[in-house]
DNA sequence: ATGAAAGCGCTAACAA
DNA sequence: TTGTTAGCGCTTTCAT
């Protein structure tokens, strides 16, 4: 009861060799039904559980999946993480969630540390690090909501389309001057969203828009937006390129006595659950977050379990979800 | 460059034995300065990193900390997780974040799985499982924001006091009828919060209050609150026993055209960041979330690294933070 | 101060 | 169908 039972204990208890026990455990090779029975019994009486460490040391494989996120307090990532976690669990894997934070140093530390612990693979939603670093790694990797490199399997949604959806919608709403609170310049999905937006805007030269840059978190977006609104308040719509930023924009507006949507419309991006719980509820471009997490995990597991797929890319379509932050009180 | 270098490679490269390399790596036993130099050089040229798996197999120790949370999409837990993660990182540990979800089955799976992988210890913020299960485990465990058992080191805030703070504040505000949206009956911190609240209420028999039960997530709280408000709307205050629930209450109120704080005051519990980003900003009982996560992690690490502290308990004081959900527009 | 060798718990040839 | 045995990469006596 004290020291954890080993495979040898089981073998002894069952009166067979360790090899037989191992074969039974892994469903490999021949094991007679008689043997299976006895071993099974021995396992339960000894309350035996295989030591994954030892197993991994031999096989050089684990059931650990590393999930790297840039900021776990941005609600988008927990939603993603939950999907990843659920899918992994269903496939017998365990997720190691790492908050890589701001620095690429920490991100590297985690990758190194996990690799040393033989993480079977990684899902990466960060991009502090050069893609080259990942390519050299020679470990199964899937990029989620980020385009790391052509060579790395990737799951995203169509961010260009998302940007277009916003632009088209705002055009329909007959908006004249827009403030874009866009994401960091080195994040490709942020660029894509802007690109889609601008493509449509080119067709409507009468509509003006200003662009300011902000990280995706609440606080930063609030601060940056406040600064901008100090200059001009002459906007009738704001396009925040994440829902988290949109919340920051909401607060900025509120503190200046600007009413949403009466004075200015607000469109977010991501489709996180909290969006429906805000006042007003947030109009947004919804990504299929669960689906994306699920698909990325399946892809990674496929990769780990052998299928050498090269540069597979999955792109989901985003959807415009109109709620109250852009309509004057009309329920959806 | 391909296969990861092993300690043997380093030994060969440096012209010494593996034992010497090992001793140098772990700063144990005598190693001459000359040897140190050569080994160091060999390590860098080979880009060697020790295999933690193998190391753990021998030493039966790891640098993995398991953090079990019940629901990662409740913003309270990411904030806690971030503190845990940061502290662990500073001490050279890596955090495995597990979303144990609703079922105790899954929680057990994770614990089992992590134990097999030799997680050095656990921080548990869930309590689906009987404390006995944990006590039998014979692994360092710290309970965070939960009282699992007298025998398990615990970090919490004073939830009874928190409940009292709410009650006293509401009394001061001259409130007459209160709705309590309390947490699950089997969660002791939820019980404590209610207990503190009721202690004060006993001294004020003219104040009425109703109590309804809800899980801590947004959606549930919204639903339960809506149901209750179908019966009576005759409340002038709501005490939600988590900030997440409070958000649900906000939405419920809004959808019924009840204005906060004009028609009814709302007090939450936890002090999560989003509270300041809502409209109105949420009055709440703030727990020192970061401090709690930090302290729990330090406790666990101390436990792991030898100090056999028995039943240590750390209790932080919570603080009432008055914001706009209870004052009619008065900025703090 | 250093090296040889045993062993952590498991898997995977290879024999039998 | 089953057992023997050699590692996986590392730490740790025990000699030297």
């Amino acid at each position: 009861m004290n020291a954890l039972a080993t495979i040898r204990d089981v073998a002894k208890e069952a009166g067979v060799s360790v090899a037989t026990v191992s074969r039974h455990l892994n469903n490999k090779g021949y094991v007679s039904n008689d043997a299976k029975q006895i071993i099974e019994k021995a396992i339960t009486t000894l309350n035996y559980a295989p030591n994954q460490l030892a197993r991994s040391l031999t096989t050089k494989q684990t059931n650990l999946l590393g999930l790297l996120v840039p900021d776990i307090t941005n609600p988008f990532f927990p939603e993603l993480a939950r999907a990843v976690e659920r899918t992994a669990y269903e496939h017998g894997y365990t997720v190691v969630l790492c908050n890589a934070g701001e620095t690429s140093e920490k991100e590297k530390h985690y990758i190194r540390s996990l690799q040393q612990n033989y993480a079977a693979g990684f899902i990466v939603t960060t991009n502090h690090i050069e893609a080259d670093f990942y390519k050299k790694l020679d470990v199964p990797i899937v990029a989620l909501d980020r385009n790391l490199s052509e060579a790395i399997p990737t799951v995203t949604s169509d961010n260009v389309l998302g940007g277009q959806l916003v632009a088209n919608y705002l055009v329909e709403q007959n908006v004249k001057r827009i403030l874009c609170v866009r994401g960091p310049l080195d994040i490709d999905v942020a660029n894509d969203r802007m690109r889609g937006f601008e493509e449509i805007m080119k067709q409507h030269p009468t509509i003006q828009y200003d662009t300011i840059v902000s990280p995706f978190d609440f606080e930063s977006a609030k601060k940056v937006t406040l600064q901008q609104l100090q200059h001009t308040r002459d906007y009738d719509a704001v396009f925040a390129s994440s829902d988290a930023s949109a919340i920051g924009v909401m607060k900025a507006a509120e503190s200046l006595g600007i009413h949403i949507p009466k004075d200015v419309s607000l469109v977010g991006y991501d489709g996180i659950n909290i969006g429906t719980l805000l006042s007003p509820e947030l109009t947004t471009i919804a990504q299929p977050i669960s689906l994306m997490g699920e698909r990325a995990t399946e892809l990674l597991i496929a990769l780990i379990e052998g299928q050498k797929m090269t540069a597979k890319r999955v792109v989901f379509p985003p959807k415009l979800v109109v709620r109250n932050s852009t309509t004057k009180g009309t329920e959806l």
Side-chain angles (χ1 to χ4, degrees), chain A:
Chain A
M1 174 92 1
N2 272 340
L4 254 40
T6 76
I7 196 173
R8 199 138 43 208
D9 300 328
V10 176
K12 198 174 298 171
E13 173 81 14
V16 298
S17 77
V18 292
T20 305
V21 177
S22 174
R23 276 191 290 263
H24 171 64
L25 252 30
N26 299 290
N27 269 314
K28 273 185 184 171
Y30 298 99
V31 180
S32 69
N33 277 332
D34 286 3
K36 278 180 191 292
Q37 304 269 324
I38 314 181
I39 294 172
E40 234 7 270
K41 187 177 295 178
I43 287 177
T44 45
T45 68
L46 263 51
N47 190 26
Y48 167 77
N51 181 321
Q52 294 291 350
L53 240 47
R55 201 202 295 255
S56 300
L57 187 59
T58 337
T59 62
K60 296 181 179 307
Q61 285 187 26
T62 66
N63 57 163
L64 250 46
L65 262 37
L67 171 59
L68 270 57
V69 303
D71 176 13
I72 197 173
T73 63
N74 177 339
F76 176 69
F77 293 106
E79 289 190 29
L80 215 47
R82 197 161 63 164
V84 169
E85 194 267 354
R86 181 175 36 72
T87 311
Y89 181 78
E90 286 164 2
H91 290 260
Y93 288 82
T94 299
V95 174
V96 183
L97 212 186
C98 299
N99 192 71
E102 301 306 316
T103 65
S104 70
E105 185 199 337
K106 200 165 179 182
E107 186 170 347
K108 279 181 185 157
H109 160 88
Y110 270 124
I111 291 181
R112 225 179 143 74
S113 161
L114 285 181
Q115 202 182 206
Q116 288 174 191
N117 286 289
Y118 283 160
F122 296 92
I123 295 179
V124 179
T125 66
T126 52
N127 66 338
H128 305 312
I129 298 185
E130 326 74 67
D132 275 353
F133 179 86
Y134 289 114
K135 279 195 283 187
K136 278 206 197 101
L137 233 44
D138 191 32
V139 170
I141 285 196
V142 171
L144 175 54
D145 190 45
R146 293 287 188 274
N147 290 299
L148 253 36
S149 145
E150 296 290 333
I152 295 176
T154 303
V155 176
T156 57
S157 67
D158 187 338
N159 289 289
V160 175
L161 173 55
Q164 292 171 341
L165 289 175
V166 174
N168 279 327
Y169 173 66
L170 257 22
V171 168
E172 274 172 33
Q173 297 295 108
N174 211 20
V175 149
K176 287 307 166 207
R177 187 157 179 201
I178 303 169
L179 174 62
C180 295
V181 183
R182 56 151 297 156
L185 295 165
D186 57 342
I187 297 194
D188 62 297
V189 302
N191 292 329
D192 286 353
R193 287 169 197 177
M194 267 319 280
R195 189 148 55 81
F197 180 85
E198 289 176 330
E199 279 174 15
I200 303 297
M201 280 302 139
K202 280 210 190 85
Q203 308 164 203
H204 301 272
T206 58
I207 303 181
Q208 295 181 37
Y209 64 93
D210 298 335
T211 304
I212 57 179
V213 178
S214 165
F216 283 135
D217 66 292
F218 308 128
E219 306 291 355
S220 304
K222 178 178 174 182
K223 209 172 67 185
V224 170
T225 305
L226 270 178
Q227 269 168 11
Q228 178 66 14
L229 294 182
Q230 234 87 86
H231 292 291
T232 348
R233 298 204 190 174
D234 195 19
Y235 300 107
D236 39 22
V238 177
F239 168 30
S241 73
S242 83
D243 285 349
S245 324
I247 295 178
V249 172
M250 273 192 180
K251 286 308 291 182
E254 187 198 339
S255 75
L256 295 175
I258 298 172
H259 187 273
I260 296 173
K262 194 155 51 72
D263 302 326
V264 47
S265 289
L266 175 61
V267 181
Y269 204 112
D270 279 345
I272 62 178
N273 281 327
I274 300 189
T276 65
L277 297 165
L278 301 169
S279 308
E281 299 183 11
L282 188 61
T283 293
T284 193
I285 303 296
Q287 310 192 62
I289 303 180
S290 294
L291 238 50
M292 287 166 65
E294 193 180 310
R295 202 71 192 79
T297 311
E298 287 169 353
L299 222 59
L300 180 61
I301 291 175
L303 220 55
I304 290 168
E305 295 182 348
Q307 298 94 309
K308 276 286 165 199
M309 55 188 56
T310 50
K312 171 115 183 156
R313 305 189 96 68
V314 179
V315 180
F316 287 95
K319 269 205 307 250
L320 172 69
V321 178
V322 176
R323 292 193 283 244
N324 299 333
S325 69
T326 50
T327 55
K328 285 117 216 225
T330 315
E331 284 285 338
L332 182 61

